[in-house]
Amino acid sequence: MPNDDTIKLLNECNAGIKMGVESINEVIDHVKNDNLRNILNKYLEDNKSLGDKTHEYLNQFHDSGKEPSTIAKTISWFKTNIKLLQGSDVDEQIADLMTDGCNMGIKSIYRYLNKYPSANNDVKGLAKDIITSQEKFLNDLRIFL
């Protein structure tokens, strides 16, 4: 049976991945640049794959997961829609939004890795894989900022 730290870290990873998928889905139809759309699709699939791994662990540990907080989702939705309504370059705004999201995600996962130090090593590895994916996403977005 997994310890509490394992379940808590896994739930935070699950919520973060869901937030990332929702965020990409929120903006992808507004993208003008094919290269940016390809990058978003790549990381959407990457998030879905990491989400599948998260769900495998959740099922193994008999846990249902965690949804992103309603407040975080609402703030994200408002921020996204306000940025998209601005008259400036939509692709640059989307890249900026995704960059902010990646930075928040990386910071959160590091915080939870430190908060739950006795989590299962496989789940810690999954958390580190999420961080690595977000860091690559940030690097790929740089050309649009």
Side-chain angles (χ1 to χ4, degrees):
M1 190 72 186
N3 64 31
D4 281 348
D5 279 7
T6 298
I7 297 298
K8 289 176 182 175
L9 179 58
L10 192 54
N11 275 299
E12 295 302 339
C13 289
N14 183 52
I17 289 169
K18 286 179 180 179
M19 191 75 184
V21 168
E22 286 180 28
S23 296
I24 293 171
N25 283 330
E26 178 92 21
V27 300
I28 201 157
D29 290 338
H30 300 279
V31 173
K32 308 279 188 251
N33 182 289
D34 288 337
N35 190 29
L36 179 57
R37 183 177 289 103
N38 291 337
I39 290 168
L40 291 174
N41 278 318
K42 175 184 176 192
Y43 287 99
L44 181 60
E45 291 306 313
D46 200 29
N47 273 326
K48 287 179 180 178
S49 176
L50 289 164
D52 289 345
K53 288 180 185 177
T54 302
H55 284 283
E56 287 175 24
Y57 283 118
L58 287 167
N59 289 334
Q60 179 183 345
F61 300 146
H62 307 290
D63 195 275
S64 59
K66 178 182 174 182
E67 292 295 321
S69 78
T70 303
I71 292 172
K73 287 169 54 173
T74 302
I75 290 169
S76 175
W77 184 88
F78 275 113
K79 184 176 178 180
T80 298
N81 285 285
I82 288 169
K83 283 248 186 196
L84 293 177
L85 288 174
Q86 293 176 346
S88 59
D89 182 357
V90 172
D91 289 337
E92 184 179 324
Q93 294 298 326
I94 290 170
D96 187 52
L97 286 165
M98 294 294 104
T99 298
D100 288 348
C102 286
N103 284 327
M104 286 188 291
I106 291 167
K107 181 179 174 182
S108 293
I109 297 296
Y110 271 123
R111 182 176 58 242
Y112 292 121
L113 275 168
N114 290 327
K115 187 174 181 178
Y116 305 121
S118 65
N120 171 299
N121 284 334
D122 291 336
V123 173
K124 285 183 189 177
L126 173 63
K128 291 173 184 174
D129 289 345
I130 294 167
I131 291 168
T132 299
S133 174
Q134 294 299 293
E135 288 171 340
K136 288 178 182 176
F137 193 12
L138 280 173
N139 190 52
D140 287 349
L141 290 170
R142 286 182 322 155
I143 62 171
F144 297 98
L145 299 173

